[in-house]
């Protein structure tokens, strides 16, 4: 750790004088590997971090310019931060009712996603494995899945409310039904793509149905399952925010609706940023878990 | 009553049906194999060698005839007929050790305790000289090593017959020679009954007690069986100048390329 820091420091000193002449190069070699490695890391970080930073700065700058005139409909970034400062600085406040900090709003929404999405994952993987076992089921059900998966989350809500008569289970159902399709579809494709070789191995050693499922089918399908889960988690986050706007209560979706009704545009913008970041993190979380669980076995 | 052979193919016929189209791949295949025999099956690509092996393996059901192993009809896959597949077919998410353990745990789950099963896995890895790579995953070892693990997995099941479908087909010549020597050594030590498919004439003659030559399809059958009366242990260098070896080799070549050459499309 300390060594890298020192190396980085020496790079910082060394780099400003690249063309400073040949003699200096002569007594450099012993230090070179560490320095070069540090330089490479620095270059890599720069190439990953710099472009988004630059684009973001330009965007904020243009936004600031466009919205600074007196008649602007939307607040410029500086005003967003100053208006919404209470909301940004105190994520943990709780004044009772729906008047809660960002942390509570987001965790309420995340809690709903966790339940709905977990249900969708369990049921989706099980159905996907079943459907994938049979060509007939695949042919019969695939068109239905393909149609249902395009139904927007909110279109399910009235039906869901009619069925459950309560807001909370309805919201969970909307998440469930929105995110389950890509999970079923990807899992069943994965099961269909299991090489015949693996099935032959299972047959020769006479694995039971259950052993085939958890020793062969699941691990062989993991990369596909996680592709489905990644798409699904993104959809479920879309769904919860939309559903909460309608059903009310604590949650980042209703927070936005509430803010709109009391014309707190800056709060809405901050909430949007939070929603985006959380969605991004959810996606990355599933990707990391998937990578870990599949031991680096990739979909062929 | 004549004594039952260890392994018997009786009037095996096989047709694949695709809709209205039926293609007859095998017809009237009869073969007897004795315990401890090393038999190779040679024939042009597509003649039905894998089909015949898979029928013995229980992965395919013949449309005619039966296979008998120790007098019992073969009708499903099982560890008594372990198969070494051409493309190793190791499970990529398991380590080398895990790939053998999954078979050992299943086959000997009730007859050996945990420690015995572990020892048995290691014993079979040592047999193919792969013990040092036990914690690697398949993609981390070479093609030859993968095939060694495939062989160890099959041997670990203590099969009555070891089936090998072009086990060295995908390997370079040096690795292949190395593995052939290993297989000969193991066969000498354990005395397994082996049925191996190959398209390599030298490999067939070097390893086998008998070479079974198949005619071309459709409706392929056994054209000729050549006994290889070469003393064991066989050493490839000495055999290179052995007249009997040369005669056997010439006989197989003659069968394949003079009497049963594939019409026109042979080039491939
Ligand atoms: N499942 C199958 N369905 C239809 N035809 C098959 C099937 N398996 C093999 N065949 C056909 O049977 C013939 C023999 O195949 P195979 O036994 O794999 O030949 P070999 O192993 O000798 O190269 C080939 O013409 C092949 O196309
Ligand atoms: Mg074949």
């Amino acid at each position: 750790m300390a060594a890298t820091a020192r190396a980085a420091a020496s790079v910082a000193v060394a780099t400003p004088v690249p063309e400073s002449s040949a003699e200096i190069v002569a007594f450099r070699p012993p230090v070179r590997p560490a320095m070069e490695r540090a330089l490479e890391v620095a270059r890599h970080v720069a190439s990953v971090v710099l472009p988004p930073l630059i684009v973001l700065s330009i965007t904020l700058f243009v936004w600031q310019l466009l919205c600074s005139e007196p008649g602007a409909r939307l607040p410029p970034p500086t005003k967003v931060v100053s208006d919404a400062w209470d909301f940004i600085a105190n994520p943990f406040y709780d004044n009772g009712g729906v008047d809660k900090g960002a942390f509570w709003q987001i965790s309420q929404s995340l809690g709903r996603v966790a339940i709905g999405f977990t249900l969708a994952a369990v049921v989706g993987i099980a159905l996907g494995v079943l459907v994938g076992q049979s060509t007939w089921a695949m042919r019969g059900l695939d068109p239905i899945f393909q149609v249902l998966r395009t139904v927007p989350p909110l279109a399910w809500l009235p039906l869901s409310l009619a069925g459950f008569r309560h807001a909370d289970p309805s919201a969970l159902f909307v998440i469930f039904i929105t995110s389950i399709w890509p999970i079923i579809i990807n899992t069943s494709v994965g099961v269909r793509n299991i090489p015949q070789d693996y099935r032959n191995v299972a047959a020769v050693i006479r694995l039971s149905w259950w052993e085939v499922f958890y020793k062969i089918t699941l691990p062989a399908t993991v990369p596909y399952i996680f592709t489905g889960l990644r798409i699904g988690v993104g959809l479920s986050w879309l769904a919860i925010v939309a559903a909460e706007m309608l059903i009310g209560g604590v949650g980042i979706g209703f927070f936005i609706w509430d803010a709109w009704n009391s014309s707190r545009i800056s709060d809405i913008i901050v909430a949007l940023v939070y929603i985006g970041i959380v969605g991004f993190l959810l996606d990355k979380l599933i990707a990391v878990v998937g990578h870990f669980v599949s031991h680096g076995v990739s979909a062929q | 009553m004549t004594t039952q052979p260890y392994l018997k193919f009786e009037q095996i016929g096989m047709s694949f049906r695709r809709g209205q189209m039926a293609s007859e791949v095998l017809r009237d295949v009869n073969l007897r194999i004795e315990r401890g025999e090393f038999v190779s099956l040679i024939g042009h690509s597509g003649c039905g060698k894998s089909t015949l092996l898979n029928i013995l393996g229980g992965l395919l059901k013949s449309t005619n005839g039966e296979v008998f192993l120790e007098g019992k009809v073969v009708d499903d896959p099982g560890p008594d007929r372990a198969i070494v597949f051409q493309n190793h077919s190791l499970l990529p998410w398991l380590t080398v050790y895990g790939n053998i353990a999954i078979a050992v745990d299943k086959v000997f789950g009730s007859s050996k305790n945990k420690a015995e099963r572990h020892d048995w896995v290691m014993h079979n890895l040592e047999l193919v000289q792969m013990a040092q790579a036990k914690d690697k995953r398949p993609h981390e070892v070479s093609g030859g090593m993968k095939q060694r693990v495939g062989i160890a997995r099959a041997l670990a099941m203590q099969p009555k017959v070891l089936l090998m479908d072009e086990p060295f087909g995908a390997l370079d010549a040096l690795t292949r020679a190395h593995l052939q020597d290993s297989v000969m050594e193991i066969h000498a030590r354990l005395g397994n009954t082996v049925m191996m498919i190959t398209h390599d004439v030298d490999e067939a003659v070097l390893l086998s007690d008998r070479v079974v030559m198949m005619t071309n399809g459709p409706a392929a059958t056994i054209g000729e069986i050549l006994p290889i009366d070469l003393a064991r242990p066989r050493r490839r260098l000495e055999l290179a100048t052995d007249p009997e070896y040369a005669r056997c080799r010439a006989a197989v070549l003659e069968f394949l390329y003079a009497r049963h050459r594939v019409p026109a499309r042979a080039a491939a």
Side-chain angles (χ1 to χ4, degrees):
Chain A
M1 214 50 230
T4 347
R6 232 175 296 127
S10 58
V11 170
V13 179
T15 35
V17 283
E19 69 268 71
S20 51
S21 87
E23 299 94 274
I24 296 177
V25 176
F27 52 81
R28 248 206 210 147
V31 203
R32 208 168 186 176
M35 270 181 45
E36 235 156 52
R37 234 178 300 130
L39 207 91
E40 213 167 87
V41 170
R43 218 178 274 138
H44 177 74
V45 168
S47 72
V48 172
V49 172
L50 277 186
L53 273 186
I54 292 170
V55 172
L56 187 65
S57 318
I58 294 175
T59 312
L60 288 175
F61 182 71
V62 172
W63 177 7
Q64 183 78 34
L65 278 188
L66 288 179
C67 298
S68 290
E69 296 145 39
R73 305 242 172 89
L74 294 175
T78 46
K79 190 159 183 308
V80 168
V81 172
S82 59
D83 280 356
W85 186 247
D86 274 349
F87 184 61
I88 298 171
N90 306 308
F92 298 106
Y93 80 86
D94 183 352
N95 295 341
V98 297
D99 189 9
K100 292 187 163 118
F103 175 83
W104 303 115
Q105 306 280 2
I106 291 173
S107 34
Q108 189 72 26
S109 300
L110 275 178
R112 292 190 177 119
V113 164
I115 298 171
F117 178 70
T118 305
L119 277 175
V122 171
V123 177
I125 292 170
L127 277 180
V129 168
L130 280 180
V131 171
Q133 304 284 346
S134 134
T135 311
W136 193 90
M138 196 81 171
R139 289 209 188 116
L141 291 170
D142 194 60
I144 300 176
F145 293 162
Q146 297 293 351
V147 169
L148 286 179
R149 84 184 168 84
T150 64
V151 174
L154 279 188
W156 290 105
L157 193 60
L159 199 64
S160 177
L161 278 168
F164 292 102
R165 289 171 189 280
H166 291 285
D168 263 320
S170 301
L172 296 183
F173 177 77
V174 168
I175 292 174
F176 172 84
I177 204 73
T178 312
S179 55
I180 197 171
W181 310 112
I183 302 175
I184 299 179
I185 292 170
N186 280 278
T187 305
S188 59
V189 168
V191 170
R192 291 218 79 58
N193 282 344
I194 295 176
Q196 185 60 39
D197 285 348
Y198 301 174
R199 298 178 194 277
N200 288 346
V201 170
V204 168
I205 63 181
R206 290 205 177 121
L207 292 181
S208 67
W209 178 89
W210 172 241
E211 286 165 330
V212 171
F213 176 74
Y214 79 89
K215 289 188 174 174
I216 309 280
T217 309
L218 270 192
T221 319
V222 153
Y224 293 89
I225 291 179
F226 273 88
T227 305
L229 290 178
R230 258 181 98 170
I231 303 172
V233 85
L235 289 178
S236 66
W237 189 234
L238 289 182
I240 189 58
V241 172
E244 281 174 350
M245 287 190 177
L246 293 187
I247 62 171
V250 179
I252 195 75
F254 184 67
F255 174 84
I256 289 180
W257 195 244
D258 197 33
W260 164 246
N261 285 330
S262 37
S263 304
R264 290 179 279 126
I265 301 296
S266 295
D267 280 1
I268 295 179
I269 291 172
V270 173
L272 288 190
V273 171
Y274 284 172
I275 289 173
I277 291 172
V278 170
F280 175 82
L281 291 179
L282 281 177
D283 181 74
K284 285 286 167 272
L285 175 73
I286 301 288
V288 167
V289 174
H291 181 79
F292 186 69
V293 173
S294 62
H295 300 294
V297 177
S298 56
Q300 287 97 352
Chain B
M1 256 228 55
T2 55
T3 54
Q4 276 288 333
Y6 189 60
L7 174 63
K8 180 167 77 169
F9 292 82
E10 199 171 84
Q11 289 297 109
I12 297 293
M14 185 71 186
S15 302
F16 287 107
R17 199 167 281 285
R18 202 170 275 148
Q20 296 288 67
M21 298 273 291
S23 59
E24 189 178 16
V25 174
L26 298 173
R27 181 191 288 173
D28 297 345
V29 176
N30 289 291
L31 180 65
R32 290 156 168 259
I33 295 176
E34 293 308 324
R35 188 186 200 121
E37 241 191 323
F38 196 121
V39 171
S40 32
L41 203 58
I42 199 166
H44 288 290
S45 174
C47 72
K49 304 181 295 292
S50 296
T51 304
L52 188 63
L53 192 93
N54 287 338
I55 290 172
L56 169 58
L59 297 172
L60 287 175
K61 180 84 196 91
S62 63
T63 39
N64 272 313
E66 299 283 6
V67 179
F68 296 90
L69 178 59
E70 289 190 314
K72 283 198 277 290
V73 173
V74 162
D75 56 4
D76 64 341
D80 57 340
R81 282 153 289 124
I83 305 176
V84 177
F85 299 93
Q86 172 165 12
N87 40 357
H88 66 78
S89 61
L90 299 179
L91 304 174
W93 56 88
L94 296 179
T95 59
V96 161
Y97 180 95
N99 267 285
I100 297 178
I102 190 178
V104 169
D105 288 347
K106 183 64 191 171
V107 178
F108 300 107
S110 51
S111 58
K112 289 186 199 298
N113 68 30
K114 209 170 167 186
E116 286 168 337
R117 293 201 300 267
H118 167 78
D119 291 345
W120 182 238
V121 172
M122 290 313 294
H123 170 81
N124 282 281
L125 279 174
E126 276 153 22
L127 210 55
V128 297
Q129 296 134 42
M130 284 297 294
Q132 78 291 344
K134 73 183 177 67
D135 294 322
K136 295 232 163 78
R137 286 185 199 283
H139 66 88
E140 295 171 319
V141 302
S142 69
M145 289 170 148
K146 283 191 231 181
Q147 205 49 282
R148 282 177 188 277
V149 180
I151 293 171
R153 178 174 62 188
L155 288 172
M157 298 178 213
Q158 285 196 314
K160 290 178 180 155
V161 199
L162 178 64
L163 315 188
M164 300 202 275
D165 191 347
E166 301 193 19
F168 316 127
L171 305 177
D172 63 274
L174 277 176
T175 312
R176 190 187 306 178
H178 216 74
L179 255 80
Q180 288 165 350
D181 290 344
S182 294
V183 165
M184 276 196 287
E185 246 166 62
I186 291 169
H187 181 241
R189 249 166 91 179
L190 307 179
N192 321 75
T193 311
V194 183
M195 183 157 169
M196 177 182 79
I197 295 178
T198 178
H199 52 229
D200 179 334
V201 177
D202 287 293
E203 181 170 286
V205 175
L206 177 68
L207 296 178
S208 319
D209 297 312
R210 283 190 298 156
V211 177
V212 173
M213 294 172 261
M214 291 187 63
T215 62
N216 291 327
T221 190
I222 294 173
E224 200 178 314
I225 299 178
L226 180 75
I228 312 287
D229 289 321
L230 292 167
R232 291 181 188 269
R234 298 173 182 168
R235 278 178 250 287
R236 67 181 68 238
L237 280 179
E238 293 164 18
L239 287 177
T241 53
D242 187 309
E244 175 64 8
Y245 180 81
R247 191 190 65 75
C248 294
R249 200 173 172 278
V252 179
L253 283 171
E254 210 261 337
F255 178 92
L256 288 177
Y257 298 105
R259 282 188 281 149
H260 292 279
R261 82 175 304 137
V262 185
R265 65 189 166 89

